[in-house]
Amino acid sequence: MDFTPCHPQPFTFQQAISFDPEVSADEIGRLQNSISHLKRTQEELQEYAEDPDIAQAIKENNQTLASQDERIFMLKLALTQRGASNATSARYDLPPEPEPESRNGRHGGFTSDNGLEPLDAPLPGDNSDIGPSNSTGEGEQESGVHL
């Protein structure tokens, strides 16, 4: 089997077949993350599309999206060629877009690139910002790990 890409790619299909499957899987994930961010940027740029420089950036971003989509296809095809029967499985699909607001609403909806809350986000049930506890701890049942 042979594959001829429509867009310039940093490697050939034959090279992709020779990649370690884990490397290919990691690259697919990286590209999917890049595409997700670039699509969000494209949506934001649409508001200013009448500006010639912005219009040019949108056009170039569309070319980049097409190239990265093709690269993902090529890597999945190479994995399938190598015998990875699940190369087209949901594992390699884009993750769902995060909701615009954070779970607790305290961070303005900002999450890190991996979709996790910031390290300073309160834990569920954490009332440390409400005030001092009136409990002495006697007779109360506590759960969790105690060190």
Side-chain angles (χ1 to χ4, degrees):
M1 171 181 265
D2 201 9
F3 174 79
T4 305
C6 297
H7 303 278
Q9 298 296 339
F11 49 82
T12 67
F13 179 65
Q14 290 304 318
Q15 289 171 322
I17 291 172
S18 69
F19 293 160
D20 179 77
E22 194 61 34
V23 170
S24 294
D26 288 346
E27 180 65 3
I28 289 169
R30 186 193 69 76
L31 288 166
Q32 289 170 332
N33 185 49
S34 174
I35 288 170
S36 175
H37 288 287
L38 194 52
K39 283 181 177 180
R40 188 171 56 240
T41 299
Q42 288 291 83
E43 290 172 9
E44 293 170 6
L45 288 175
Q46 289 300 322
E47 184 177 340
Y48 308 101
E50 68 280 349
D51 180 298
D53 291 332
I54 300 295
Q56 180 64 29
I58 290 171
K59 181 180 175 182
E60 290 171 6
N61 287 348
N62 283 333
Q63 292 170 346
T64 299
L65 285 165
S67 176
Q68 289 181 344
D69 276 335
E70 183 179 64
R71 194 169 321 144
I72 289 172
F73 177 79
M74 189 166 64
L75 288 165
K76 287 181 177 183
L77 191 61
L79 284 169
T80 302
Q81 183 75 16
R82 283 191 61 142
S85 61
N86 63 348
T88 57
S89 74
R91 173 178 183 212
Y92 302 111
D93 292 339
L94 282 172
E97 286 292 319
E99 301 219 6
E101 296 181 17
S102 67
R103 290 188 307 271
N104 59 19
R106 294 182 59 179
H107 297 286
F110 292 103
T111 58
S112 64
D113 287 345
N114 61 12
L116 299 176
E117 291 285 339
L119 291 176
D120 60 349
L123 297 173
D126 179 11
N127 296 326
S128 60
D129 58 344
I130 296 176
S133 173
N134 294 337
S135 170
T136 62
E138 293 179 7
E140 291 185 14
Q141 293 242 335
E142 295 182 21
S143 62
V145 176
H146 301 282
L147 301 174

